Amino acid sequence: MSELTTKADILRGGQFLVKETNCEDIFTPEDFSEEQTMMKDAVIEFNDREIIPHKHRFEAKDYALTEETMRKAGELGFLGVAVPEAYGGLGMSFVSTMLTCDYISSGTGSFSTAFGAHTGIGTMPITLYGTEEQKQKFVPALATGERFGAYCLTEPGAGSDANSGKTTAELTEDGKHYKINGQKMWISNAGFAEVFIVFARIENDKNITGFILEYDKNNPNGVTLGEEEHKLGIRASSTRQVFFNDTLIPVENMLSERGGGFKIAMNALNVGRIKLAAACLDSQRRIITEAVKYANERKQFKTPIGEFGAIKAKLAEMATSAYAGESASYRAAKNIEDRIAIRESEGNTHQEAELKGVEEYAIECSILKVAVSEDVQNCADEGIQVFGGMGFSEETPMESAWRDARIARIYEGTNEINRMLSVGMLVKKAMKGHVDLLNPAMKVADELMGIPSFDTPDFSELFSEEKAILGKLKKVFLMVAGSAIQKFGPDLEKHQQLLTAASDILIEIYMAESTILRTEKNAKRFGEDAQKEQIAMAKLYLYNAVDIISNSAKEGIISFAEGDEQRMMLMGLKRFTKYTNYPNVVALRNTIAEKLKAENKYCF
């Protein structure tokens, strides 16, 4: 944590909506330390050596290769990056764990899923919720890859509604074990894991309870594994059903307290969501690089297709989304890291500090999960289109990238759930007084009743107009969400389509602001000429965001407001989404695309 970063300086989760952030106060990938740069290079080298050359074997469902590669990652310390040194890990910072997840995940979705399931939901619940004895017993072997972890939460009847699971845990007569009975499905790493985090319900408890199960295939203890699932993508990620028939787990292997399983599951998902966003970043970089190379090489009508405006537009939009996702992901990661450091300085244990630090930014974690998972899918889809017919062939990398990307919108909570969560959590924070939405929303309501200013502002400074527009876009959210809360109160959560529209506004504001702030910070220290293409991407992202926000807000307004209220809000929407000086969108895209073509890769 830098000397300048104090508790007062760090925005609380969700406060980006109502407080202005200075570009100097955010972290960017250009701020990586020497240690982080070395880690990044080591991870890229591992990916290039151990994963990408064997992609055909992963696509052929070589599960043994996934396990073997995971062991190699463990030997190099990559599985223990987030694990404290006391338990055999590297004990690196939250940002360092993000960049490891980022750069190790792009070779194939199969390895990425195995890595994420093991280091995240397979290891982290024990690290953060386990007793000292449990951590000493299980975590060192998980950190080194001596043993692998899996997370048994989902059931045939319990997916998004995780707490509705039917798996039972019954205390044995001697009081020494819990007897587990039930069925779990979609369990990543099930084929080679030896430590399972299992969630089950004791008697008629309201909430499920977590347990740590040691699995030995030579002594299965009532555990039966289903066959490997045949999936659209992530084909060499071991995914099986797991059945428990009177499976005995010692009472000392209960994780946290009785009924604490739902809390464990939800907090594990918060971390999983931001790490999933990270896991989609380098995939976009590699897809863009492959698309740029092909566009430079492939000729039609005696011209490289990269010279055509339609292809330039695709490459520019792909790069802009990747740059925005990277900007927002590392901004949030450093916020979490700083919040953890503050809590530790106040006397919290590392466990408490990390749990509370991530929980503070649960809104941002959901935003990132949605935005980046959708961007990587769009990126792969456009990658196929750049390749044309060849993109549809297994001989090129695009079709497997598209298939692997599809799961990202489903796991760690579907994007539909995360959209509703982001707004729902923001409203709850406002109710608790952690984020003041009420007063800003009232000011926006007053502004709508007033006479707008017709002064022409001075927008000569870099991003001055873009930042003014960002401020107005925040008013759009306050106007729409404030009116909806006023109208529906606690019943707002029943109006899912309105929540979805509001969340799209929230998402675009965070992503656009992160992109602009990163670029402004770098333009100040490296010079505007050195950031010409990044400036173009920041402006292009905002232009697209204004369009999305305008459409989502209009949908909300015309669906819950009527008469004069509706007319006034639509007029306000028009006022809040208007540029004084519209950017030349085609010129912006061409600037970005020409840089990509010249470098023959994603180069930002």
Side-chain angles (χ1 to χ4, degrees):
M1 189 167 58
S2 72
E3 293 175 23
L4 297 174
T5 308
T6 66
K7 189 171 183 178
D9 292 331
I10 303 175
L11 292 184
R12 297 195 68 158
Q15 280 188 336
F16 70 88
L17 193 63
V18 291
K19 290 193 174 183
E20 192 172 341
T21 304
N22 294 320
C23 68
E24 292 82 7
D25 293 335
I26 72 153
F27 181 85
T28 78
E30 292 76 22
D31 295 312
F32 285 156
S33 67
E34 187 177 345
E35 180 189 49
Q36 287 167 336
T37 302
M38 288 171 63
M39 174 59 80
K40 170 184 158 183
D41 292 343
V43 173
I44 290 173
E45 196 271 332
F46 175 81
N47 199 359
D48 287 342
R49 184 185 72 244
E50 299 292 348
I51 301 173
I52 289 172
H54 308 297
K55 187 154 185 171
H56 62 287
R57 291 177 60 190
F58 286 108
E59 291 308 307
K61 303 182 181 181
D62 191 336
Y63 302 108
L65 176 62
T66 301
E67 182 180 357
E68 177 191 329
T69 310
M70 283 285 286
R71 293 205 187 279
K72 289 179 179 177
E75 288 165 9
L76 291 170
F78 297 146
L79 302 183
V81 172
V83 174
E85 292 180 69
Y87 308 110
L90 299 181
M92 297 184 80
S93 69
F94 196 85
V95 170
S96 297
T97 70
M98 279 282 286
L99 74 86
T100 303
C101 188
D102 175 352
Y103 286 93
I104 210 167
S105 296
S106 63
T108 166
S110 298
F111 180 82
S112 175
T113 300
F115 178 86
H118 172 79
T119 59
I121 50 182
T123 304
M124 188 182 55
I126 306 176
T127 308
L128 296 182
Y129 286 97
T131 62
E132 187 59 30
E133 291 74 22
Q134 289 170 344
K135 286 186 285 187
Q136 293 286 359
K137 180 177 181 180
F138 295 106
V139 176
L142 292 168
T144 57
E146 183 186 331
R147 303 173 92 181
F148 293 116
Y151 184 81
C152 301
L153 176 65
T154 304
E155 299 184 12
S160 296
D161 185 7
N163 203 36
S164 64
K166 300 288 190 290
T167 298
T168 60
E170 180 187 352
L171 192 63
T172 55
E173 285 186 16
D174 60 9
K176 292 183 178 179
H177 293 84
Y178 278 98
K179 192 185 295 181
I180 310 294
N181 284 281
Q183 173 186 359
K184 301 290 181 178
M185 67 188 302
W186 307 124
I187 308 307
S188 297
N189 296 352
F192 58 84
E194 297 142 300
V195 178
F196 291 82
I197 309 290
V198 181
F199 294 90
R201 193 177 311 278
I202 301 172
E203 297 173 346
N204 294 315
D205 287 359
K206 178 184 175 184
N207 292 324
I208 52 179
T209 299
F211 299 89
I212 307 169
L213 169 67
E214 295 183 81
Y215 173 64
D216 178 357
K217 61 185 177 186
N218 297 316
N219 180 22
N221 183 19
V223 176
T224 308
L225 302 180
E227 293 298 312
E228 290 286 355
E229 299 285 353
H230 299 287
K231 309 182 294 291
L232 171 70
I234 55 170
R235 288 181 170 175
S237 159
S238 175
T239 311
R240 297 186 174 197
Q241 293 194 61
V242 182
F243 302 90
F244 304 100
N245 182 20
D246 288 348
T247 299
L248 296 176
I249 298 180
V251 291
E252 59 268 24
N253 280 17
M254 179 186 286
L255 190 58
S256 187
E257 76 273 13
R258 175 173 173 171
F262 186 61
K263 180 174 66 177
I264 296 171
M266 292 304 99
N267 282 327
L269 284 172
N270 287 334
V271 182
R273 283 163 185 154
I274 190 170
K275 293 288 179 70
L276 176 58
C280 294
L281 294 175
D282 200 48
S283 297
Q284 290 180 77
R285 297 187 197 103
R286 286 183 183 267
I287 290 166
I288 294 162
T289 292
E290 293 295 333
V292 170
K293 286 179 178 176
Y294 189 80
N296 276 337
E297 293 166 6
R298 170 73 167 165
K299 288 188 177 180
Q300 290 291 277
F301 311 103
K302 300 180 181 178
T303 307
I305 62 171
E307 294 296 313
F308 298 126
I311 300 298
K312 286 182 184 180
K314 290 184 186 302
L315 297 177
E317 295 286 355
M318 292 158 73
T320 297
S321 292
Y323 179 73
E326 187 181 66
S327 305
S329 295
Y330 284 102
R331 173 192 183 182
K334 188 61 164 68
N335 284 153
I336 290 170
E337 181 178 300
D338 286 346
R339 182 65 64 179
I340 291 168
I342 285 169
R343 285 193 166 272
E344 286 181 327
S345 72
E346 292 174 344
N348 285 178
T349 65
H350 177 75
Q351 283 172 287
E352 294 167 334
E354 184 147 335
L355 278 169
K356 290 297 182 184
V358 174
E359 190 180 347
E360 177 65 51
Y361 296 96
I363 294 166
E364 287 80 356
C365 292
S366 282
I367 285 172
L368 289 164
K369 192 275 179 183
V370 173
V372 186
S373 68
E374 293 181 359
D375 284 343
V376 74
Q377 181 83 67
N378 292 336
C379 187
D381 195 71
E382 290 286 53
I384 289 176
Q385 201 69 13
V386 171
F387 272 69
M390 285 305 296
F392 209 68
S393 168
E394 288 185 4
E395 290 179 31
T396 61
M398 292 301 170
E399 69 88 33
S400 62
W402 186 90
R403 285 187 291 97
D404 284 351
R406 188 60 186 85
I407 188 61
R409 287 157 56 197
I410 297 171
Y411 57 21
E412 306 294 355
T414 66
N415 283 11
E416 290 70 28
I417 286 286
N418 274 288
R419 276 187 160 88
M420 287 180 280
L421 270 176
S422 62
V423 179
M425 288 187 291
L426 183 62
V427 171
K428 283 179 184 171
K429 278 201 158 201
M431 301 282 190
K432 291 178 180 176
H434 293 171
V435 179
D436 180 13
L437 290 184
L438 183 61
N439 287 315
M442 287 171 65
K443 284 180 183 174
V444 173
D446 291 342
E447 187 176 339
L448 289 176
M449 302 294 288
I451 299 170
S453 169
F454 295 102
D455 294 341
T456 304
D458 176 15
F459 287 140
S460 55
E461 193 177 328
L462 177 66
F463 291 135
S464 51
E465 179 161 12
E466 286 73 18
K467 286 161 84 173
I469 289 169
L470 268 175
K472 291 191 289 185
L473 295 180
K474 293 177 184 183
K475 291 178 182 178
V476 172
F477 180 86
L478 292 166
M479 175 179 72
V480 174
S483 298
I485 292 166
Q486 201 171 21
K487 197 171 196 78
F488 300 113
D491 289 338
L492 180 61
E493 63 184 31
K494 296 176 185 174
H495 298 268
Q496 292 190 351
Q497 292 183 56
L498 293 179
L499 283 174
T500 299
S503 74
D504 283 342
I505 301 170
L506 190 68
I507 289 165
E508 292 304 321
I509 289 169
Y510 187 72
M511 301 301 288
E513 182 178 71
S514 300
T515 309
I516 288 168
L517 291 174
R518 173 190 182 181
T519 311
E520 183 187 16
K521 182 177 184 178
N522 289 332
K524 284 183 177 180
R525 58 181 165 179
F526 304 133
E528 289 185 28
D529 286 347
Q531 295 289 299
K532 184 176 69 170
E533 293 80 18
Q534 288 89 333
I535 290 168
M537 288 192 287
K539 290 183 175 184
L540 180 59
Y541 192 94
L542 180 67
Y543 175 80
N544 291 335
V546 170
D547 243 10
I548 294 167
I549 288 169
S550 185
N551 289 332
S552 296
K554 182 180 177 183
E555 180 186 316
I557 291 165
I558 63 177
S559 298
F560 73 76
E562 296 175 340
D564 288 342
E565 182 192 15
Q566 185 188 95
R567 280 190 290 276
M568 185 177 68
M569 290 177 72
L570 288 173
M571 284 173 61
L573 175 61
K574 190 174 181 181
R575 189 197 310 177
F576 294 147
T577 53
K578 184 180 178 184
Y579 277 83
T580 301
N581 307 288
Y582 280 96
N584 182 334
V585 176
V586 171
L588 293 177
R589 291 191 190 123
N590 286 343
T591 296
I592 301 159
E594 291 300 337
K595 178 68 171 177
L596 291 165
K597 286 164 49 195
E599 297 286 339
N600 206 29
K601 63 179 180 179
Y602 179 84
C603 50
F604 308 111

